[in-house]
Amino acid sequence: MFLSDFTSDSLMKNFLIQTKEFVTWTQQNEREFFEEVMKINFFFPLAFLGTFFIIAPYGKFQWNSLSLPGKFAWFFQESFSLITFIYSFFIKDLFSITISTDATYTTTQIILASFWIIHYTNRVIIHTYRAPNIAPINLLIVLIAIFYNILNGYVNARWISIFGRDNYLYDENGQDIYKTPRFILGVFIFLVGMMINIHHDNILFSLRNNLDKSTTKSESVKVITNPNSPSSRYVIPNGGLFNYIACPHYFGEIIEWIGFVIATWYSYPAVLFLMAAIANLVPRAKTNLDWYREKFGDMYPKNRKAIVPFVW
């Protein structure tokens, strides 16, 4: 017993010492730490492309085992992106609780940070609250999402607040770039993408809320029940870009981050985030299209594409 306690105490003491040394090193060498995190982020788009071959187990494709309640899991995993971004944007030193009170944020920085916060406030809080139902999410997906959201929120926030500020968020004359045509174009595209995303989420929410009414009005409406989540039922969505593609909400989100990349031109974190979004959402859209065609057969419009109208 004594030996066991001694070993445990020694391990804990050694862990705390190494943690303290790591925190000190990152605070003194955060640029190097930032670059190391960027190297890790580089692998996520490549990993997400694997979902072309292996279906990610969430939503209608979830596994029975090790799943968490959908609304809780979604809120929990996505909140890390919001919290990490806000923390990393405003704190003075990494792993500290000191707000950078001497920092003066430019208009460009405020706009970019606001876009991130607005997007994820909608995604974390409003979406979770308004969604009639979210199918259970596999624990593995939740853990991967948390890890990715922490890294992604950190690198994008620190690039906007510190590392990209002097070299990229001012023009050649030293002026804030928020009035430049490229930044305005990026902002416009981001807002268009957000509207597309939210509008088609609203169509899905309305469809689910009125599912019973719609099925009683028309015997031609086929309803598919998810065997892994009996409360999750599906019909063919119509209206807006749903008339052309299976996943217009995914399409809108990709448009958002294209706009974000344009507005933050040369932001490597933003580019990697866009690549990860495309690598994640494009295979998912194709999987959804195939699922609808399989489950609904001839009832599903044959001319609908997966995620890009008239193209793919």
Side-chain angles (χ1 to χ4, degrees), residues 35 87 148 173 196 247 261 295 305:
E35 296 294 344
Y87 168 81
Y148 175 72
N173 298 317
I196 292 172
C247 299
V261 166
K295 299 298 182 181
K305 303 298 183 181

Side-chain angles (χ1 to χ4, degrees), residues 32 48 107 287 298 310:
E32 186 176 345
F48 291 156
T107 301
T287 301
D298 292 338
F310 309 112

Side-chain angles (χ1 to χ4, degrees), residues 183-195:
F183 186 84
I184 294 172
L185 175 64
V187 166
F188 174 76
I189 292 174
F190 182 92
L191 293 175
V192 169
M194 178 177 287
M195 287 189 291

